[in-house]
Amino acid sequence: MACLSPSQLQKFQQDGFLVLEGFLSAEECVAMQQRIGEIVAEMDVPLHCRTEFSTQEEEQLRAQGSTDYFLSSGDKIRFFFEKGVFDEKGNFLVPPEKSINKIGHALHAHDPVFKSITHSFKVQQPHFGGEVSPHQDASFLYTEPLGRVLGVWIAVEDATLENGCLWFIPGSHTSGVSRRMVRAPVGSAPGTSFLGSEPARDNSLFVPTPVQRGALVLIHGEVVHKSKQNLSDRSRQAYTFHLMEASGTTWSPENWLQPTAELPFPQLYT
């Protein structure tokens, strides 16, 4: 795919996000769906590691910040679940394939299907350094200077108003970061804490962004976004990863996600 046009680049800089419809083919989306089906069919998550994924602050600190399963997932393929899918003993109340909220955080490195998409020529563009509550990606992926992280969100299935498409506050990427999730010193509990807090935001400022399967949404690290609960009878699968402009950028040592000896942050251009 060619680089972004001047008008596309201007719109991204103005709004903090940009939709590129038809980025992947239907065949590429089906390949990702089939591979996820295979991965989920083979998953074996011990009872004590069955963690619900959340972006709500209190739930994050309780469910994710207190478990090594989440904090050490940066170089592994691990499974995080929807709310209410386990009984009090950790057994599934729903079919396991319908229980997944998120698979993370190293599909891009360890799975050949997702690695090929992540490092495809389409993604290597020049000129770019359940319900998800309103947030900024830079709260979790903080850099100095700011503005060096770019989210890449690919719709593997249609994302509609009914099944939980993304919502953005256009232009909200210009006001800095309101809170940060930081990793606690080794051996401390809980494993993470928050600095600052999310301000109350007027829901009328959010703009829905429904897209068709195969669309790519570029997300500035500081733009405020969310998705609503999927109230439909259809799933809404998406593949997302983040890019960082490495030159002249410091990745905060306080971020929960850290490169490891087993998996340093891979370069996009290999």
Side-chain angles (χ1 to χ4, degrees):
M1 189 184 74
C3 342
L4 297 183
S5 68
S7 61
Q8 287 176 317
L9 187 57
Q10 181 181 14
K11 184 164 181 58
F12 175 79
Q13 292 171 336
Q14 172 183 303
D15 293 343
F17 67 97
L18 179 71
V19 174
L20 302 175
E21 289 282 5
F23 185 80
L24 293 186
S25 67
E27 291 76 19
E28 289 171 311
C29 292
V30 168
M32 287 194 287
Q33 285 180 285
Q34 290 176 338
R35 182 60 189 134
I36 285 297
E38 295 167 357
I39 291 172
V40 171
E42 297 169 359
M43 77 173 173
D44 181 18
V45 182
L47 289 177
H48 70 280
C49 293
R50 295 183 178 180
T51 301
E52 294 177 353
F53 184 80
S54 175
T55 55
Q56 298 288 346
E57 184 167 321
E58 289 185 4
E59 293 175 354
Q60 280 178 328
L61 295 179
R62 182 174 65 252
Q64 293 156 218
S66 61
T67 172
D68 183 65
Y69 184 77
F70 174 78
L71 291 177
S72 62
S73 65
D75 59 357
K76 301 173 182 67
I77 296 176
R78 288 185 170 169
F79 304 89
F80 304 92
F81 299 92
E82 297 283 6
K83 299 176 188 176
V85 299
F86 301 121
D87 65 17
E88 65 278 1
K89 295 181 179 179
N91 298 309
F92 286 104
L93 295 171
V94 300
E97 66 273 12
K98 296 185 180 297
S99 68
I100 299 293
N101 175 285
K102 175 179 181 177
I103 301 175
H105 288 90
L107 277 172
H108 65 282
H110 294 318
D111 186 83
V113 172
F114 287 88
K115 186 174 184 178
S116 67
I117 293 291
T118 306
H119 292 273
S120 69
F121 176 72
K122 293 180 180 182
V123 173
Q124 294 177 348
Q125 301 175 68
H127 309 302
F128 264 108
E131 175 186 6
V132 179
S133 58
H135 68 282
Q136 299 167 291
D137 290 346
S139 293
F140 309 94
L141 310 174
Y142 191 83
T143 62
E144 294 181 355
L146 286 169
R148 299 300 183 94
V149 170
L150 177 70
V152 178
W153 190 98
I154 298 173
V156 180
E157 300 176 295
D158 291 350
T160 67
L161 292 173
E162 294 74 29
N163 73 355
C165 69
L166 294 171
W167 294 65
F168 292 91
I169 299 182
S172 58
H173 59 300
T174 60
S175 302
V177 176
S178 56
R179 69 167 182 161
R180 287 183 57 195
M181 182 186 195
V182 297
R183 180 185 281 258
V186 176
S188 301
T192 60
S193 61
F194 280 96
L195 305 176
S197 61
E198 289 288 350
R201 294 188 172 96
D202 184 348
N203 278 330
S204 67
L205 297 176
F206 285 91
V207 174
T209 311
V211 295
Q212 295 183 331
R213 176 175 66 173
L216 181 149
V217 184
L218 295 173
I219 304 174
H220 190 285
E222 287 129 77
V223 72
V224 177
H225 58 290
K226 66 177 182 177
S227 59
K228 296 185 177 181
Q229 183 179 0
N230 183 353
L231 299 175
S232 76
D233 58 0
R234 296 186 298 108
S235 59
R236 189 229 65 184
Q237 295 181 355
Y239 174 49
T240 184
F241 56 93
H242 291 84
L243 306 175
M244 179 185 73
E245 172 56 60
S247 178
T249 304
T250 300
W251 180 260
S252 174
E254 295 182 321
N255 287 339
W256 78 265
L257 177 65
Q258 295 295 326
T260 65
E262 292 76 19
L263 184 63
F265 288 160
Q267 293 185 359
L268 180 63
Y269 302 97
T270 56

